[in-house]
Amino acid sequence: EESGEEPIEAFGPAEEYAEKMAVHAECETQKATDEQWLHRTFRATAFDEIGILYHAGRDGWELMDVGPYALFCRRPVNEKQYGRWEYIRRVGIDHNGIIEEMMSDRWQPCGHWVVFHYFKRPVNAPVQ
């Protein structure tokens, strides 16, 4: 409603959107046995997501993808393997141009939704 778009424009076909959300919902509690990751979905809006990502990244959560009101993150099961992450969001319609510019500054793309583009990079300080 806030974007002014019709739901089909904002989220795509209902079947595809529901499937994507179901897969991410399963990841919230699933542990990958081969790599030992914990998965968590943080609920967020465009107004509070950067603050949420600041705290999540400080606590070792790595952003893997985004969706409407959702930040899909992971971190190792083993606390000794936690790293710190920092995040930034860029807004614009030139998707490829934004990615190229951010990657030249050593940011890694980690999700986009509509005109919002999310980037991450590891912080050298260990989690305490």
Side-chain angles (χ1 to χ4, degrees), residues 32-91:
T33 56
D34 57 336
E35 295 188 55
Q36 295 298 304
W37 293 102
L38 295 173
H39 296 265
R40 179 171 177 191
T41 300
F42 292 89
R43 300 296 173 210
T45 69
F47 300 106
D48 63 2
E49 64 193 1
I50 296 302
I52 291 169
L53 285 171
Y54 170 80
H55 293 288
R58 189 182 65 188
D59 292 337
W61 290 101
E62 177 186 6
L63 182 64
M64 301 307 293
D65 200 2
V66 298
Y69 305 108
L71 305 168
F72 305 109
C73 297
R74 72 176 187 178
R75 75 176 178 190
V77 171
N78 183 346
E79 292 181 26
K80 293 179 181 179
Q81 295 177 338
Y82 288 4
R84 285 185 179 233
W85 294 91
E86 65 179 329
Y87 300 98
I88 192 169
R89 178 185 74 192
R90 294 282 309 271
V91 180

Side-chain angles (χ1 to χ4, degrees), residues 75-128:
R75 75 176 178 190
V77 171
N78 183 346
E79 292 181 26
K80 293 179 181 179
Q81 295 177 338
Y82 288 4
R84 285 185 179 233
W85 294 91
E86 65 179 329
Y87 300 98
I88 192 169
R89 178 185 74 192
R90 294 282 309 271
V91 180
I93 58 173
D94 182 12
H95 180 70
N96 292 334
I98 291 171
I99 289 176
E100 184 178 317
E101 177 186 338
M102 296 302 291
M103 288 183 72
S104 71
D105 205 15
R106 299 184 10 217
W107 288 95
Q108 303 168 30
C110 57
H112 76 276
W113 185 68
V114 190
V115 297
F116 299 110
H117 307 275
Y118 301 85
F119 298 88
K120 64 186 174 187
R121 65 181 173 193
V123 177
N124 293 331
V127 172
Q128 297 179 12

